[in-house]
Amino acid sequence: MISTDLHPEELLDKAGVGTLTDAERAWLDAHLAQCAVCRLETKVKADFAAALEPEVAVDVDDVVARALAGLPQREPVRPRAGARRFGALTAAAVMFFAVASFAAVGQVTGVLPKLVEKIVAPRAPEPVAVPVVVPRRVDRPVEAAVAPVVEAPVEALAAPPPPPPPPARKKAPAPAPARVIGAAELFAEGNAARVHGDFAAAALRYRDLLSRFPSSDEALLTRTVFGRMLLDAGDTTGALEQVDAYLASGDRTLREEAMVVRARSLGVQGRTADAADAWRGLAAEFPDSLHARHANP
Amino acid sequence: MTALAPTLRKSSPLQALAERAAEGDTEATGELLKALAPGMIRSVAALMGKQHPDADDVVQKSLIALVQALPQFRGECSPQHYASRIVARAVIASKRRAASRGAHHDAQTEVDATTSPDPSQHDGFVAERRRGLVRELLQQLPEEQGEAFAMRVGLGFSLPEVAAAAGVPLNTVRSRVRLAKEALRRRIDADPALLELLEGDS
């Protein structure tokens, strides 16, 4: 052993910008004297800083022009009403997987909050991973995002009966209008709850969405997002149920991500051959995928 | 010492440009890319090596990925940091693809470029060996550890800057960096001669 396992990252940061106090400098020097890794890190940071060219020797306009020309033309996933909204939803979901899902592959680092136990059916214990969730732009306050869902039928909420005539003398305060909860709201609230780590609330929204609006665009995306969340919670059977339903739909928007969730779930279940098949299938369909390497471990 | 401005900002002209670009304003997209591209090009060169044949490809992929990711940009870090994170991911993905197809450019080409019988070149040689070691490590680490390590060591980000750019809690970044450094420790533990070389002054 040539180093300690605890590294004073904050002090290294302060040393980098020259704001160490004398006491901190002494502490850091003592650490560096015994930690080869931090000594090396300090040198390597300086090496990389020295390697950064002050000027770029390429034609930036040309580089940018080529990039702009290479931008794919986004087409609506489904050429029907609401496609633009679906596009936005898709972008959000794709980003979620491009960052969170990809980032967490292969990581089994801890235990989810006990709340998770409430959202998954009791099953044989399996390894549980802490989901890496990426905060995204939330359109409403968190309190609203996790507020109880109004359970009344949408139609009734959307078209309330005319109120009775007010009392002759005393005016009662007007009742707060009931909130209309549609597929988009459930999806947004589920995502907001998930981002904030409230997996029980997220699962409630997602299940509600799948139950009430099974043919909506949001339900389609939910299959993969929710499947990933269930996988992270250790509910691989539930995860497989969701992503298999998504894959069966034929939609390709989140197909790569769904295939990753499927392969990982099979692996966690110990179905080695099925998992290997799933990774190979992924590599065949998406050879440039970050996950394609799993096909040839 | 960072390739891209390290200061976190709540709002800036660049941030406003990013918002317009995220809404599909093509003129703003072009302006944004022109503003960010130099830093991204420098970062790719630093993380991959100036001579790397895939560098231009990675720059292109990074720029395209940046535009595609703009709708999810929440402004919690500067556009430069956001771009840096995308660069780090693209570099790591490229290294993994290269490894999977058995390509071996990497460190040796860069080291050769700095190798010289002239003793005055020795420091440059050692520095490039150290950079090469980190680049090699990025290829082997889990993605999220590699990303955090690349931003921190390669691009000089502080822990809070990495956390803001990655959109994860500070302790998550701390943990990722610690694990990456563990991998580095194992690497040099296994080769004391390498450590002796790498600890040379530069």
Side-chain angles (χ1 to χ4, degrees), chain A residues 116-199:
Chain A
V116 173
E117 294 171 10
K118 298 177 183 175
I119 67 172
V120 296
R123 300 181 194 285
E126 292 172 336
V128 176
V130 175
V132 177
V133 288
V134 177
R136 291 182 293 165
R137 185 172 283 147
V138 180
D139 293 333
R140 66 191 72 202
V142 178
E143 298 84 295
V146 295
V149 176
V150 178
E151 298 294 346
V154 175
E155 296 75 14
L157 293 171
R169 298 196 175 187
K170 285 187 180 178
K171 268 194 172 179
R179 207 155 49 94
V180 178
I181 300 294
E185 287 76 15
L186 285 170
F187 187 63
E189 291 183 2
N191 290 341
R194 175 177 51 75
V195 164
H196 286 85
D198 190 348
F199 304 113

Side-chain angles (χ1 to χ4, degrees), chain A residues 47-189:
Chain A
D47 293 337
F48 274 103
L52 289 170
E53 299 284 337
E55 297 294 331
V56 176
V58 299
D59 182 349
V60 172
D61 287 348
D62 172 64
V63 170
V64 170
R66 282 188 286 132
L68 290 172
L71 279 172
Q73 298 295 313
R74 290 185 68 85
E75 293 177 3
V77 177
R78 291 178 173 188
R80 60 183 169 83
R84 286 184 65 188
R85 181 168 59 89
F86 182 68
L89 295 169
T90 301
V94 167
M95 186 57 187
F96 165 69
F97 279 99
V99 179
S101 180
F102 280 64
V105 169
Q107 278 275 301
V108 179
T109 56
V111 180
L112 277 175
K114 287 186 177 179
L115 272 177
V116 173
E117 294 171 10
K118 298 177 183 175
I119 67 172
V120 296
R123 300 181 194 285
E126 292 172 336
V128 176
V130 175
V132 177
V133 288
V134 177
R136 291 182 293 165
R137 185 172 283 147
V138 180
D139 293 333
R140 66 191 72 202
V142 178
E143 298 84 295
V146 295
V149 176
V150 178
E151 298 294 346
V154 175
E155 296 75 14
L157 293 171
R169 298 196 175 187
K170 285 187 180 178
K171 268 194 172 179
R179 207 155 49 94
V180 178
I181 300 294
E185 287 76 15
L186 285 170
F187 187 63
E189 291 183 2

Side-chain angles (χ1 to χ4, degrees), chain B residues 104-155:
Chain B
H104 289 291
H105 162 80
D106 283 348
Q108 196 53 47
T109 306
E110 299 293 332
V111 170
D112 289 346
T114 57
T115 302
S116 164
D118 181 354
S120 67
Q121 298 275 328
H122 176 71
D123 290 349
F125 169 75
V126 174
E128 190 52 45
R129 281 295 301 269
R130 284 193 290 253
R131 285 190 290 264
L133 177 66
V134 170
R135 289 172 190 143
E136 180 188 316
L137 200 62
L138 294 181
Q139 191 170 301
Q140 296 160 355
L141 290 170
E143 285 95 337
E144 65 274 23
Q145 287 176 32
E147 178 186 301
F149 200 58
M151 285 193 282
R152 181 156 176 73
V153 175
L155 303 180

Side-chain angles (χ1 to χ4, degrees), chain A residues 4 8 11 22-36 38-39:
Chain A
T4 59
L11 295 186
D22 290 345
E24 288 170 337
R25 164 59 64 190
W27 203 98
L28 181 59
D29 286 347
H31 176 81
L32 290 174
Q34 63 170 328
C35 180
C38 285
R39 281 199 306 276

Side-chain angles (χ1 to χ4, degrees), chain B residues 43-105:
Chain B
S43 297
V44 169
L47 291 175
M48 298 192 76
K50 294 173 198 167
Q51 313 290 331
H52 202 290
D54 291 341
D56 181 63
D57 184 49
V58 172
V59 168
Q60 288 295 314
K61 286 183 175 170
S62 299
L63 290 167
I64 291 171
L66 172 64
V67 174
Q68 292 177 324
L70 280 176
Q72 281 71 49
F73 177 52
R74 300 181 307 136
E76 288 193 347
C77 62
S78 70
Q80 293 96 325
H81 276 83
Y82 197 60
S84 291
R85 189 205 180 189
I86 288 172
V87 164
R89 292 180 64 84
V91 167
I92 291 168
S94 169
K95 286 185 168 295
R96 289 179 187 282
R97 279 196 301 274
S100 70
R101 65 172 187 260
H104 289 291
H105 162 80

